[in-house]
Structures are given as C-alpha cells and as structure tokens.
Amino acid sequence: MMTTLRRSLAWLSAALTLAIAASALAAAPDEAAKLAAARKEGKVVWYVSMFDIGTAEQVGKAFEARYPGISVEVVRATAGVIYQRVLQESQAGVSADDVFSSTEEGHYLRFKDLKLIRPYVPGEADKVVARFQHIDPDDNYQVASVGLILLMRNTQQVSAAAEPKKWNDLLDPKWKDKIAFGHPAFSGYIATWVLSLTRLYGWDYFEQLAKQSPLIGRSGNDAITELASGERLVAAGPDATTLKSKNKGNPIDIIYPEDGSVFMTAPSAILTKAPHPHAAELFMDFFMTKEYSQVLVSNGFSPLRPEVTPPDGLRPLSDVKLIRPPAQELKDEIPKVIEKFRATFGV
C-alpha cells in the first residue's frame, strides 16, 4: 500500500515537472520569436516627455545593451508637443511613433477614445510596486515613471528658514518677480499641477499668482535653469530633475509643500499602428525590469520595482502628502484650465 502511494506521488511529481517544463518550453519560442521579429524591425521609435533628453538617452542605451540589434530613436519634447504630433500624424495617415510616454494621463484617455493605442500587459508587470500596477483597467497604458511637482529654492539666496512652506506662500509680496514655473499647454506635469491647485484653492489662486510677475517657461524643467542661474529664487518643478541638477552641484533644493505635493504618474503605451510593434512590446517590457528602475534611480527618479532602493535626497512617497485629480478629470478639465491660464497670465 505504502509502495503504491509512493509510486503515485512520484508519478504525480514527475508529471508536474514535465508540465512546468513543457510550459516553459512553450513560452520560450514566443519570446524568441518576438525578439527575432524585433531585431528584424531594427529599432523602436519613442516619443517621450517624462524625462530630460539625457535620462531618455540613458534609458535607450540600457535597452540597446539588453537587446543588441535593436536601436532606440528618442524623440524628446514636452507632453503637449508629442501629443499634438501623434494626433497630426494620425490625421495625415502617418504612423511614425511606436511607444508614447507622456506626463499627462488625460492624453491616454483621449487616445483610447480614438483607438490610437492598444492594450498590452508587459512581462514582469506584476513585479512593480502594487499601486503602480494596472493603472488603466483596460491595460491600454502602463506606468513608466512616477514623480512629484513640488516647491524649489535657490539655496544661495533663500535660506531654509525663509523658504515657502506651502503653495499659498508664493503669494507673499516678497516673492514678486522671483518665481518661475512652466506652462500647462506644453508640460503635462505643470498642467496637472495647475488643475490640482485649482481644486485646492480655486482659480483665484492663479489670478493672485499672476500679479507676482512669474517667469513662465515651457517645461517644468525650465524653472530649474532659472533657479540655478539665480534669475529666479523659488519655483514649482519636478522632484527628479531638480535632484539631478542639485547633485551636479547647482545651488538648488526641493521643498515638500505642507499642503501637498502633486503626485505624477507618467504612463507609456504602444500605438495601435506602431511601425515596429515587436520592438515596442520589448520596450514596454523593459520598463518593468529592475535594470530600468536602476536607471531611474541614477537620474533622481523613484524606482518602480520595490526591491530597488530610492535615490538619496527623496522622501519615500509613503511619507509625503500627495494630491492628484482623477484621470477622467485630467482629461476633461485640463483643456479648460489651459485656456484660463493663457487668459490670466497672457502667455
């Protein structure tokens, strides 16, 4: 009886082993076929706004090292610019972009409506931080980076004791002619910031802020340059690129506002008519890897993988008061606040 039971268990174990092995062998040819097809395509074209050009090119080089024979063509511009570019190309019947990475989540909801992006669940998608998984219930887009919009200061001219502690502090007359930030029509980060503070304080906040004569660039990163040069002393801008600039020796630092830092999820998606679809899938897979998270950290960004240590100088997101409108509100309201912003600031 015992011998029979042992034989049955041994047979079951062997059957399970064979089944697992068969499953692995079945999956391997699919991955190998995708890689072979991607190498035949030769490249992936990446429209990206969530990184500065240096970080984007580092991501591209890391991908190329992982997948020799597939190059990354980086097209870096602000969120509004790459969004309009995809729309214009689509209307002209042109399919140039493979992977779209914007800082404005509302772009993806509009693209879903227009069927310009398609569902794809990357390999290892279940290994990133749980709150970043399946941010779109239909998996038409996936998180590719996260960050914050917060306050910044020039450390040579503004002490920690004198720095603004809340967004409302920017309305103090002492900051007149000393503030910098980007434009919501170009920057997804800034568009989300404008909508978030409108929800918090109403449009009256921006009407008062306009009286402070701020210097308005396009990207949120433009304010970093103004701070580093001393042309402006305080600003609203992104945490990662500010930290990256600080680590290069520039006299700037980040401030976590007491009334909330604006939480940004910057997704990525594959275009429905991507000219290099297999390479695009590999590129989306790459966003979920430890290797990619390590590139993020080396450039001041929070990692997507929980086992990768965040960069020095950033607080864990769990320790930060976060504010952010829902994705549908981003889609519906950002076009309205862009027009109000232009009318209020005259730019």
Side-chain angles (χ1 to χ4, degrees):
M1 183 71 174
M2 186 61 68
T3 299
T4 302
L5 178 59
R6 285 173 179 166
R7 286 176 179 171
S8 297
L9 290 174
W11 178 88
L12 179 60
S13 176
L16 287 172
T17 300
L18 287 171
I20 292 170
S23 176
L25 287 171
D30 290 342
E31 291 302 309
K34 181 193 292 188
L35 180 56
R39 285 190 169 133
K40 187 175 181 179
E41 293 165 354
K43 70 175 181 178
V44 57
V45 179
W46 183 27
Y47 286 10
V48 54
S49 72
M50 62 191 182
F51 300 134
D52 59 277
I53 186 61
T55 301
E57 288 180 345
Q58 284 186 42
V59 171
K61 295 299 182 186
F63 175 84
E64 290 169 355
R66 184 182 178 98
Y67 298 106
I70 310 169
S71 64
V72 179
E73 182 178 320
V74 176
V75 179
R76 198 279 163 189
T78 58
V81 170
I82 61 169
Y83 170 68
Q84 290 298 330
R85 182 166 176 170
V86 169
L87 288 178
Q88 290 166 1
E89 289 174 345
S90 174
Q91 291 165 1
V94 174
S95 300
D97 183 29
D98 293 306
V99 175
F100 178 81
S101 297
S102 170
T103 50
E104 186 181 324
E105 192 172 351
H107 289 165
Y108 298 86
L109 299 187
R110 298 184 196 107
F111 281 179
K112 281 178 66 175
D113 291 343
L114 296 170
K115 302 188 186 310
L116 291 178
I117 55 177
R118 65 173 173 87
Y120 181 69
V121 180
E124 300 191 60
D126 60 342
K127 294 185 179 179
V128 301
V129 174
R131 68 182 296 181
F132 304 152
Q133 297 178 18
H134 305 293
I135 58 172
D136 173 42
D138 301 315
D139 282 318
N140 277 263
Y141 57 90
Q142 306 289 335
V143 68
S145 79
V146 296
L148 303 175
I149 287 282
L150 29 63
L151 288 161
M152 309 182 294
R153 67 181 172 100
N154 179 295
T155 56
Q156 291 179 337
Q157 301 188 57
V158 180
S159 68
E163 70 185 17
K165 309 295 184 185
K166 306 186 297 293
W167 293 113
N168 266 343
D169 290 343
L170 294 181
L171 304 181
D172 190 310
K174 73 179 182 179
W175 300 122
K176 183 174 173 61
D177 299 316
K178 299 175 181 177
I179 304 169
F181 46 83
H183 197 298
F186 299 96
S187 169
Y189 264 57
I190 296 300
T192 305
W193 170 69
V194 172
L195 182 56
S196 297
L197 292 200
T198 301
R199 296 175 88 238
L200 198 61
Y201 293 120
W203 193 254
D204 180 65
Y205 174 83
F206 287 100
E207 291 177 341
Q208 295 182 60
L209 191 59
K211 296 175 183 178
Q212 296 286 67
S213 300
L215 181 60
I216 300 173
R218 285 194 171 196
S219 168
N221 292 331
D222 291 341
I224 299 171
T225 303
E226 306 302 338
L227 284 192
S229 68
E231 184 172 350
R232 294 290 159 132
L233 304 187
V234 292
D239 57 348
T241 43
T242 304
L243 181 62
K244 186 176 181 179
S245 181
K246 174 186 176 181
N247 290 339
K248 290 180 179 179
N250 289 313
I252 59 176
D253 203 0
I254 57 179
I255 305 163
Y256 290 89
E258 294 172 359
D259 42 355
S261 299
V262 180
F263 178 58
M264 298 295 306
T265 57
S268 288
I270 298 176
L271 275 294
T272 303
K273 296 184 178 180
H276 311 100
H278 300 93
E281 290 187 0
L282 284 181
F283 201 56
M284 290 288 288
D285 292 344
F286 183 65
F287 290 143
M288 304 296 131
T289 64
K290 286 175 60 178
E291 185 177 356
Y292 171 73
S293 278
Q294 288 162 351
V295 175
L296 291 179
V297 169
S298 68
N299 285 278
F301 288 84
S302 296
L304 301 183
R305 292 285 289 254
E307 67 270 41
V308 177
T309 304
D312 292 337
L314 292 187
R315 294 180 187 174
L317 292 176
S318 57
D319 295 343
V320 180
K321 181 178 181 180
L322 303 175
I323 55 177
R324 177 178 174 80
Q328 187 62 44
E329 190 170 336
L330 292 171
K331 175 190 175 186
D332 296 339
E333 298 300 322
I334 280 181
K336 300 175 187 177
V337 299
I338 287 174
E339 292 309 310
K340 292 175 73 172
F341 186 93
R342 284 177 166 147
T344 300
F345 290 90
V347 291

